[in-house]
Amino acid sequence: MTLTHSRQSTGDADPSRTGSTDPNLQAWVDEIARLTEPDAIVWCDGSKREANDLSKLLVASGQLIRLNPEWRPNSFLARTNPKDVARVENRTFICSNDEADAGPTNNWAEPSAMRAELRGVFAGCMRGRTMYIVPFSMGPLGGPISQLGVEITDSPYVVLNMGIMTRMGETVLTMIEAGEPWVHTVHSVGYPLIDQSGITRPEVEWPCNDDKYIVQFPDTREVWSYGSGYGGNALLSKKSFALRIASVMGRDEGWLAEHMLLIKLISPEGGVFHMAAAFPSACGKTNLSMLRPTIPGWKVETIGDDIAWLRQGEDGRLWAINPEAGFFGVAPGTGETTNPTAVSTMWGNTIFTNVALRDDGDVWWEGLTDKAPDHLIDWQGKDWTPDSGRTAAHPNSRFTVAAAQCPSIADDWEAAGGVPIDAIVFGGRRATNVPLVAQARSWKHGVFMGATISSEKTAAADGIVGELRRDPFAMLPFCGYNMADYWGHWLKVGKELGTNAPAIFQVNWFRKGPDGAFIWPGFGENSRVLEWMIRRIQGTADAIDTPIGLLPAEDGLNLDGLDLSKEAVDQLFAIDQNSWLAECDLTEEYFDKFGDKVPPALRAELASVRYHLKD
Ligand code: GDP
Ligand code: PGA
Ligand code: MN
């Protein structure tokens, strides 16, 4: 093995860096290189030139298709292996020292046994490839809530995506060298180009491995990911660090790392409010973060679309940042009528994954336009026509684009100290039972609402789409420690916030009528629900107390100009006593899985809901 420590693979760039003066970083890079045996090591500087060189490299090897610059400048299409299209939850592990810390909702493996297994899997896995060192910051550089990380990866596709999704490059290395703490993350696609006996094999369009590992070591703040190139499994800044590892940091340090979008709301009177909302993957975070209100005078500005880090500020309120710098959004369903802001965000400089290719060299997916083009190349590279009987884009196809390109991005979206939160919203995808909106009676009741969210499964993870599952706080796949301890942590944070605590709401855009169609029009019309929340916070909207929470009073929700029958509205808010009593039984069963770790306050909330239902 020769370690050239050069930038040869990125073309003609200067070999500006050949190592780090930080002994820990250098020792770790050397150790991973010895284990994985790459041909070359490249220290990424985060420059435009570097990104250009990498995209050229990937186009030349057939791993990216350059889109027609006339329609989509500096944009690319990647097609994954059909077996590598989503997060793999059954191969995701939380390897805490103590099994009880992972809890019943995470896969656990004993850390030293897992380390030994990973050493075996990673041995020689980068042969014939270049190993990239990707330094990144989650949150604005040097911000009080921000954190640093380094991802080692053998995937140039990952480097390009990380350059969009994080603040990546040389400055971060300088900060690490000045002594800032950082999180270690290692990723390999698991497809060496040279085998143990020195025999080479050709590169493929999407290298990956059937054997996959997404492993978090929360006690040492480390991530190891193997075998997948898909965003949620391979962009380790995102779900692995900013949620799984960061949730543990938050538990230990008194803050929150959440699967939440962040928005700024401006009322017709000029009042400014901030909201954080948690919905499971592919349940509407990106859409809500870019919402264009249909009601006059209201404005929504985007701060984040997927992850929020929240901390109590000096003024006693809860402040939040978006730790990311880009969006990794679901393409299907994103169109001019549903999310025009997202569509204009992706005008260029965008990486598309598993969408369809048009004959004119642009992209298409279901929902981008009402009518599909007559001919496309589908996400698997096959000819497609509207009567093919299959979708042209994969249901979990994605776009990666810089947040700065979003026309609705708030001026202060990069404020280092974040924005003060007025409301927290929990949601899921529920065809039945759950009303359009309900307000929690208290912080404790809100935590109960978050803890008992269930949602129909989507294409964002492997498994059966549509199956109902519990997804507390939309964190089921992302909580790095015992979920019941996490509920306890939320209760503790609420206690500290006291009267400064934000109001908590629950929403469901996805309730269906007897005809099986969504009752609520959703998207821009969701602004009506946001308006009600703000009016509740201001104390100007009435609510009726129901066993499950506070619902808009008769005529409380602004439905002006909306073509929705009285019957439909009743269906949206119907609370069926028997179904809810049955939900309570399921909640009790669910709580019992966590044994005596369930905070007594949540058991008390359940008892209270039951009591009122039986009233
Ligand atoms: P995220 O993964 O949580 O960010 O979810 P997205 O915002 O990307 O939305 C996922 C899917 O849900 C897309 O197909 C959207 O079109 C759809 N969706 C989002 N908001 C709504 C809504 O208010 N109503 C309905 N019916 N669908 C929605
Ligand atoms: P999201 O998840 O749907 O919440 O954006 C991204 C992922 O699948 O990792
Ligand atoms: Mn999203």
Side-chain angles (χ1 to χ4, degrees):
M1 173 192 59
T2 45
L3 290 184
T4 55
H5 287 272
S6 82
R7 319 189 107 266
Q8 62 189 27
S9 312
T10 56
D12 56 1
D14 296 335
S16 47
R17 235 190 209 272
T18 56
S20 173
T21 58
D22 182 89
N24 290 328
L25 175 57
Q26 187 60 53
W28 177 65
V29 167
D30 289 343
E31 184 197 322
I32 302 299
R34 266 195 307 275
L35 175 65
T36 61
E37 302 175 26
D39 265 8
I41 297 179
V42 168
W43 293 76
C44 296
D45 61 13
S47 65
K48 268 209 176 98
R49 174 177 179 153
E50 178 177 81
N52 281 339
D53 289 344
L54 282 172
S55 53
K56 272 188 213 151
L57 192 89
L58 285 167
V59 170
S61 68
Q63 291 173 292
L64 279 185
I65 295 165
R66 186 182 294 276
L67 299 176
N68 186 340
E70 204 176 313
W71 311 121
R72 212 62 75 163
N74 191 35
S75 297
F76 303 90
L77 169 63
R79 293 189 194 124
T80 75
N81 182 304
K83 288 193 222 161
D84 193 23
V85 294
R87 283 181 291 100
V88 283
E89 294 183 0
N90 62 342
R91 298 300 302 159
T92 302
F93 298 87
I94 300 295
C95 295
S96 43
N97 292 337
D98 184 353
E99 182 173 4
D101 278 340
T105 57
N106 284 311
N107 299 312
W108 178 81
E110 198 280 315
S112 56
M114 180 54 90
R115 280 182 197 285
E117 198 172 329
L118 287 173
R119 268 196 300 277
V121 171
F122 273 81
C125 72
M126 296 191 189
R127 270 192 228 115
R129 295 193 179 280
T130 297
M131 176 171 123
Y132 299 91
I133 319 296
V134 183
F136 60 91
S137 173
M138 300 310 285
L141 288 162
I145 309 181
S146 303
Q147 300 279 346
L148 305 183
V150 178
E151 176 163 350
I152 292 182
T153 179
D154 58 6
S155 162
Y157 166 88
V158 165
V159 180
L160 279 179
N161 277 273
M162 288 291 288
I164 297 173
M165 295 304 298
T166 69
R167 286 115 179 139
M168 187 270 265
E170 179 61 27
T171 320
V172 175
L173 283 179
T174 321
M175 291 167 73
I176 289 172
E177 287 167 349
E180 288 281 325
W182 51 284
V183 168
H184 301 48
T185 75
V186 189
H187 167 255
S188 172
V189 293
Y191 194 93
L193 294 170
I194 304 172
D195 77 8
Q196 266 150 321
S197 40
I199 297 169
T200 59
R201 60 173 164 178
E203 183 60 289
V204 289
E205 203 180 325
W206 184 267
C208 63
N209 196 305
D210 284 348
D211 201 14
K212 295 180 172 54
Y213 289 83
I214 318 295
V215 185
Q216 283 70 208
F217 294 98
D219 298 288
T220 49
R221 318 279 199 243
E222 262 175 284
V223 184
W224 289 70
S225 163
Y226 178 89
S228 170
Y230 169 74
N233 300 324
L235 308 178
L236 301 182
S237 59
K238 198 174 184 43
K239 308 294 189 184
S240 287
F241 175 3
L243 292 176
R244 298 193 189 105
I245 298 293
S247 60
V248 175
M249 295 170 125
R251 173 197 66 189
D252 296 347
E253 299 164 11
W255 51 282
L256 301 166
E258 300 299 330
H259 194 200
M260 288 177 170
L261 66 96
L262 284 174
I263 50 175
K264 184 193 295 289
L265 268 144
I266 304 161
S267 73
E269 309 82 55
V272 175
F273 305 87
H274 296 98
M275 229 176 237
F279 308 153
S281 293
C283 290
K285 289 181 301 300
T286 301
N287 273 270
L288 187 62
S289 75
M290 298 176 188
L291 174 136
R292 284 194 194 173
T294 50
I295 46 176
W298 286 83
K299 204 173 163 206
V300 169
E301 293 179 355
T302 312
I303 296 170
D305 85 321
D306 195 46
I307 297 175
W309 285 356
L310 308 98
R311 215 184 255 261
Q312 190 171 22
E314 273 160 25
D315 62 355
R317 300 183 68 190
L318 189 62
W319 291 69
I321 62 161
N322 166 16
E324 300 190 284
F327 307 132
F328 177 63
V330 179
T334 306
E336 278 304 337
T337 47
T338 55
N339 192 349
T341 305
V343 173
S344 40
T345 304
M346 322 168 213
W347 60 267
N349 307 319
T350 305
I351 301 170
F352 296 91
T353 304
N354 286 340
V355 302
L357 183 65
R358 291 168 51 108
D359 294 345
D360 64 1
D362 198 6
V363 283
W364 191 84
W365 51 81
E366 281 69 23
L368 177 62
T369 54
D370 286 343
K371 196 176 164 293
D374 294 335
H375 177 260
L376 292 165
I377 303 296
D378 75 4
W379 69 277
Q380 301 199 64
K382 297 186 189 124
D383 280 304
W384 184 94
T385 56
D387 50 20
S388 290
R390 56 179 201 275
T391 61
H394 186 275
N396 192 37
S397 54
R398 300 272 171 161
F399 56 86
T400 316
V401 68
Q405 278 188 206
C406 178
S408 63
I409 201 84
D411 283 345
D412 57 350
W413 77 280
E414 296 195 277
V419 294
I421 299 300
D422 299 285
I424 290 175
V425 183
F426 298 117
R429 196 179 269 272
R430 290 294 305 267
T432 60
N433 281 10
V434 180
L436 180 65
V437 59
Q439 183 181 6
R441 281 181 282 267
S442 63
W443 181 271
K444 279 183 194 160
H445 183 220
V447 172
F448 175 80
M449 277 179 171
T452 54
I453 290 283
S454 33
S455 190
E456 290 143 25
K457 284 190 75 172
T458 66
D462 50 357
I464 304 159
V465 172
E467 194 178 52
L468 195 63
R469 70 165 180 184
R470 295 274 164 172
D471 194 346
F473 289 71
M475 283 288 277
L476 179 69
F478 309 120
C479 186
Y481 61 104
N482 189 302
M483 186 62 84
D485 289 340
Y486 166 92
W487 300 334
H489 182 55
W490 262 82
L491 291 167
K492 212 167 107 193
V493 169
K495 213 167 171 181
E496 242 134 71
L497 291 167
T499 54
N500 284 312
I504 300 183
F505 299 87
Q506 176 176 9
V507 298
N508 177 25
W509 313 141
F510 301 96
R511 200 160 182 171
K512 289 181 177 170
D515 60 352
F518 294 123
I519 307 172
W520 181 248
F523 303 103
E525 303 295 1
N526 293 335
S527 55
R528 298 169 186 276
V529 176
L530 303 186
E531 178 186 30
W532 183 74
M533 294 175 185
I534 298 303
R535 299 303 182 211
R536 285 295 299 160
I537 293 167
Q538 293 177 315
T540 56
D542 288 336
I544 40 169
D545 205 352
T546 77
I548 63 153
L550 307 168
L551 267 54
E554 187 84 28
D555 298 327
L557 193 66
N558 175 0
L559 298 174
D560 291 352
L562 194 64
D563 183 21
L564 205 63
S565 68
K566 164 96 176 62
E567 203 186 351
V569 177
D570 289 346
Q571 282 167 8
L572 277 173
F573 287 103
I575 296 170
D576 181 73
Q577 190 188 17
N578 287 330
S579 313
W580 273 97
L581 282 169
E583 293 249 350
C584 288
D585 292 345
L586 293 173
T587 297
E588 184 172 359
E589 255 174 55
Y590 189 63
F591 280 177
D592 286 345
K593 284 193 189 179
F594 301 87
D596 55 14
K597 278 200 180 265
V598 178
L602 295 192
R603 297 255 186 210
E605 289 296 331
L606 174 61
S608 153
V609 171
R610 267 188 173 142
Y611 175 84
H612 290 289
L613 280 166
K614 284 177 182 157
D615 245 8

